[in-house]
Amino acid sequence: MKEYRIAVIAGDGIGPEVMYEGIRVLEKIAELDPEIRFCFTEFPWGCEYYLEHGEMMPADGMDILKDYDAILLGAVGYPGVPDHISLRDLLLRIRHGFDEYVNVRPVQLMPGAPCPLKDVKPEDINMIFIRENSEGEYHGSGAWLYPDTPQEVVIQNGVFSRMGCERIMRYAYELARKKQMTLTSISKGNALNYSMVFWDQVFAEVGKEYPDVKTQTFLVDAASMFMVKDPKRFQVVVASNLFGDILTDLGAAISGGMGLASGANLNPERKYPSMFEPIHGSAPDIAGKGIANPLAMIRSVADMLEFFGHDAWAGKIMKAIETMVETEDSLTVDLGGTASTQECGDALIRLLEK
Ligand code: NAD
Ligand code: IPM
Ligand code: MN
């Protein structure tokens, strides 16, 4: 029997609503499988905590988290706390501090899921984004000079290290090789004359170790256009932090919406805990109504189980989500249904029990 210690940061807005369903799914699995147990520790960190304590998490927060087997995160950010504070001081602090440099974000259209594109079949949208998650445009270095003067200047640096680029590209090449998929690199080397020229160079260099992997490079603007016009061009995709962020919201939009999209923040060396979260935010526009779609969070729970090596349970959760989407069973409003967050979670748990 294996017991997993999970740090739970439900966060803000719909974060706690969807997290509750994710935890219920894990509790059900522990009930059905005598080999697995979970020990959850909930941390009340987030915007409310900030308003009370003046910080998003305690000063020793990273030290507290470091010995957990994994972190589950709902969503962070809420009106009343500036986004650059709430997100940098909690979510990005964990991603960077625990060197979760790989962000795996699948973009796959399940049969029955709403898709705004014309004449597109589920098999046409089958991508796995590998987003660089530790540096790039999100490095956080820069300066704000001469504030509130006519000379005011702001500088936001993009930081692309050789080690950072090589390791994310190697991860993407390995995945493409394993899955026998093509690999697309997203660039903007025509305008970003340092960072993206270097990115392209490292992509080509690392590629020499993978002559069997078929590659292509698209400029990010053309890539956004092709994701809409001809999504089957993309299989494994490697992108910088910012480009990966933007393209995966677009990816969610063409594959059923934000309510289905999950993202795994991985420290592949397992020196630190990895973090599993839906890619959506705290959705203040629907928070507190009990109508948020919990399936992205539940999918994150499946990603975590897969990371632990419980592929069978991860597969069962994915199968249950696919069944619900295809049969329109207990779906929330965003997927065209009328179910509440909890009713959607109940239906998924019923399928797991079968
Ligand atoms: P958002 O993802 O929260 O919402 C975008 C739209 O998608 C909204 O209309 C929302 O109702 C809908 N939506 C999102 N998740 C849904 C779900 N599970 N079910 C049904 N509908 C869903 O993005 P935003 O509005 O740009 O950001 C809101 C806040 O969240 C901001 O503070 C932002 O910084 C933060 N944010 C946090 C994360 C994170 O914690 N990982 C990610 C993105 C944004
Ligand atoms: C995401 C979010 C975050 C990101 C924000 C909230 C910092 O948009 O996880 O996609 O850009 O990484
Ligand atoms: Mn995003």
Side-chain angles (χ1 to χ4, degrees), residues 105 245 249 279:
R105 295 188 161 187
D245 177 40
D249 261 33
I279 83 164

Side-chain angles (χ1 to χ4, degrees), residues 62 90-100 133-134 267 272-273:
M62 294 297 284
L90 185 53
L91 178 72
L92 296 180
R93 190 161 157 211
I94 296 172
R95 285 184 189 162
H96 293 180
F98 288 153
D99 207 17
E100 295 167 348
N133 213 28
S134 66
N267 173 247
Y272 303 106

